[in-house]
Amino acid sequence: MYARRRHMYFAMMGVCIALFILAWGVVRIWSVPAAVALCVVAMVIPPVAAMIANRRGPEDRWWDDPSGDPESDEWWDELDGKKRH
């Protein structure tokens, strides 16, 4: 799933760059307000792309990572029904 999120991130960032280039290379010749609107849309894409790329999916088992505190890890393993050896 990491690869899928990474591909989605790069696709969104590619669209962002394409919008900037299109806005100031082509669209501004006919309409400056339309070019500014394209840039506003492009400005919103990077934060959304970052949220998509950094979200955790249901298959990401981040809660299984040990915290480093043996007592806490033992307590959580007991709650999860695991036995540490």
Side-chain angles (χ1 to χ4, degrees), residues 8-70:
M8 186 65 154
Y9 173 80
F10 285 120
M12 291 179 76
M13 293 307 289
V15 168
C16 178
I17 291 170
L19 283 174
F20 274 115
I21 292 171
L22 184 67
W24 296 112
V26 178
V27 176
R28 74 169 169 87
I29 296 170
W30 290 283
S31 174
V32 172
V36 171
L38 282 174
C39 285
V40 169
V41 170
M43 181 180 67
V44 174
I45 293 174
V48 173
M51 285 186 278
I52 288 173
N54 290 318
R55 73 175 179 211
R56 297 217 184 244
E59 70 282 349
D60 295 335
R61 307 263 323 209
W62 55 273
W63 59 85
D64 285 348
D65 294 340
S67 67
D69 178 17

Side-chain angles (χ1 to χ4, degrees), residues 70-84:
E71 186 177 337
S72 175
D73 291 339
E74 183 178 328
W75 185 76
W76 281 109
D77 286 344
E78 182 181 334
L79 284 177
D80 289 339
K82 298 180 194 174
K83 297 286 183 192
R84 282 202 157 181

